[in-house]
Amino acid sequence: MLTLYSYPELFGVADNNGYGLKVYAFLKLARVPFVHEHVFDASAAPRGQLPYIVDDGETIGDSETIIAHVIAKYRLTIDAALSAEQRRTNLFVTRMLDDLYWVMSYSRWKDERYVQAFCDAFMAQHPKVDADGLEKAKAYNAQRYYYQGIGRYTPEQAYARGIADLEVLAEIVPAQGFVHGAAPTSVDAGVYGFLANIHFFPIPTPLKAFVDAHDNLVAHCERIHAAVS
């Protein structure tokens, strides 16, 4: 049995991190049986990052590597009908979501307008995690942001970057159906992983204001949410 290790759930979303939720949604959409184990401390994970899977004794990290492994091993057809152009679009969207990740994370751990609301909600749902643990996570993330670069942005500059990513998604995601047609593919799991971690969180960041103002993004998010919940 495949086991997925990822961050804890929050606000009714199965993982409060976009990458873990992406893998979770992919496994659900592809109907791959798995056990879901929630982890807060990622120090034991491959490269110290979540999510990762253990599949028949093999440990695999990185969301894209996980998805490629599962498609190959279980001979999944979820992306089989995609054209070369659609596969290029998937790569572009995946890399753009990597950029959006930093802005979404910044809104939770760096922007003082929202940090406390996020931490309070986390402790309320996960009482085993205390304020000291979250302070350590905040300090760790501050270091990451500094070296990645976004930690040296003003909030306005950081959100402008994230909004630019969301504007592109708003042009790609259709009002009905899924990114490449009537059936979801792996890219829809990726889009959901990040949109759900914005849309379902009742923390009024500029990212949430943008997503909630675009009916097509909300509808896509809620379609996938219903399919994987």
Side-chain angles (χ1 to χ4, degrees), residues 35-195:
V35 174
H36 194 184
E37 297 288 346
H38 294 290
V39 181
F40 181 72
D41 182 357
S43 59
R47 296 189 295 274
Q49 295 177 314
L50 295 172
Y52 70 95
I53 64 169
V54 176
D55 189 16
D56 290 335
E58 184 178 4
T59 300
I60 301 164
D62 179 76
S63 62
E64 283 299 292
T65 305
I66 292 168
I67 288 172
H69 163 84
V70 174
I71 286 175
K73 179 172 179 178
Y74 296 96
R75 300 180 181 180
L76 303 180
T77 60
I78 188 169
D79 287 347
L82 296 181
S83 67
E85 181 179 358
Q86 289 171 327
R87 292 178 189 276
R88 287 193 293 270
T89 297
N90 286 6
L91 180 60
F92 294 149
V93 170
T94 298
R95 296 294 181 264
M96 185 176 67
L97 292 173
D98 288 342
D99 187 79
L100 179 60
Y101 161 80
W102 289 102
V103 185
M104 189 175 75
S105 184
Y106 178 106
S107 74
R108 299 175 179 185
W109 296 106
K110 177 71 174 176
D111 190 333
E112 294 297 339
R113 293 174 294 179
Y114 311 118
V115 170
Q116 195 59 53
F118 175 75
C119 289
D120 287 348
F122 205 101
M123 287 189 292
Q125 188 162 341
H126 302 286
K128 291 183 179 180
V129 178
D130 60 18
D132 287 343
L134 291 174
E135 278 299 318
K136 289 178 182 177
K138 181 181 176 183
Y140 170 71
N141 280 311
Q143 186 178 50
R144 293 171 67 230
Y145 302 154
Y146 180 83
Y147 287 112
Q148 189 272 344
I150 198 169
R152 303 175 223 185
Y153 286 22
T154 66
E156 291 74 18
Q157 291 168 332
Y159 291 122
R161 190 178 185 102
I163 294 299
D165 296 331
L166 289 171
E167 285 174 342
V168 174
L169 278 184
E171 294 177 1
I172 291 173
V173 171
Q176 297 180 347
F178 303 95
V179 173
H180 295 309
T185 61
S186 62
V187 73
D188 293 288
V191 171
Y192 167 76
F194 289 87
L195 290 186

